[in-house]
Amino acid sequence: MPPSMVAYFEKPEKVYERFQKVVKFQLTQKARLGLHLFNELPQQLRKVHKEVNAMLKLKAKLTSELDEEKKRFEKQKRYLAYMQNSMEMVDTKRTHKTDLSDAMSNLKKRLTTPTLSASVSESFKSTGRNVTITSMPKCGVDFNL
């Protein structure tokens, strides 16, 4: 017979007391675990709810930023298409002139500012005095009063 069986048959009360101590220890451990889970689970649940809410807020923010970027991207695409279209229209209208005389005729067609004439000398009377203007723009306005 094994020694544990021999001890059981020699002093069964001692073995029963040991068995009761083990069972009591196991019950207190289970009770402590239950109490810990009872106290800890609501805190973990609150923590998980916080994390979920934070993730939902982050998702909403990122989706709104993504939508704004998509709108901006579409606007830039439309602008780029418009610019390419206008450049194509300019290229089709433009004739490639390499002759110097054509370039000079284009310069003559441009608007220019009026030039000052250094030899213009006009007199007019202003409150009984003679005033001489030595240079005056050619703009077609009569300054004689």
Side-chain angles (χ1 to χ4, degrees):
M1 231 174 167
S4 60
M5 290 292 284
V6 173
Y8 177 76
F9 284 110
E10 287 179 3
K11 296 183 183 177
E13 296 89 19
K14 291 260 183 186
V15 174
Y16 182 70
E17 285 176 8
R18 182 181 288 161
F19 173 74
Q20 282 182 337
K21 286 180 182 179
V22 169
V23 169
K24 184 179 178 183
F25 175 76
Q26 288 176 343
L27 285 176
T28 56
Q29 290 298 318
K30 286 183 181 179
R32 286 181 179 175
L33 178 64
L35 187 62
H36 171 73
L37 291 177
F38 180 77
N39 291 333
E40 191 68 26
L41 283 178
Q43 292 175 357
Q44 288 179 351
L45 187 62
R46 276 186 247 124
K47 183 179 176 183
V48 168
H49 277 297
K50 273 183 166 181
E51 289 176 2
V52 167
N53 288 337
M55 292 294 178
L56 289 174
K57 286 180 183 178
L58 181 63
K59 180 184 176 186
K61 180 183 175 189
L62 290 176
T63 53
S64 68
E65 286 179 2
L66 181 64
D67 290 341
E68 289 174 11
E69 283 296 316
K70 283 181 181 178
K71 288 177 186 176
R72 190 181 67 80
F73 184 71
E74 288 298 321
K75 185 178 177 183
Q76 291 293 330
K77 277 176 58 176
R78 286 193 308 268
Y79 178 73
L80 183 62
Y82 167 76
M83 291 303 292
Q84 286 176 344
N85 189 18
S86 65
M87 292 301 288
E88 288 173 2
M89 290 178 65
V90 167
D91 285 343
T92 57
K93 289 181 182 179
R94 183 182 297 165
T95 57
H96 300 286
K97 297 180 181 178
T98 57
D99 191 12
L100 183 60
S101 63
D102 290 338
M104 291 305 290
S105 66
N106 286 340
L107 282 176
K108 289 179 183 177
K109 291 178 185 176
R110 287 191 330 184
L111 292 175
T112 59
T113 58
T115 59
L116 297 176
S117 173
S119 63
V120 175
S121 175
E122 296 186 14
S123 299
F124 63 93
K125 298 218 183 235
S126 172
T127 63
R129 295 171 38 195
N130 284 337
V131 177
T132 304
I133 298 176
T134 57
S135 65
M136 183 176 188
K138 294 181 181 178
C139 58
V141 178
D142 187 16
F143 286 102
N144 293 328
L145 297 177

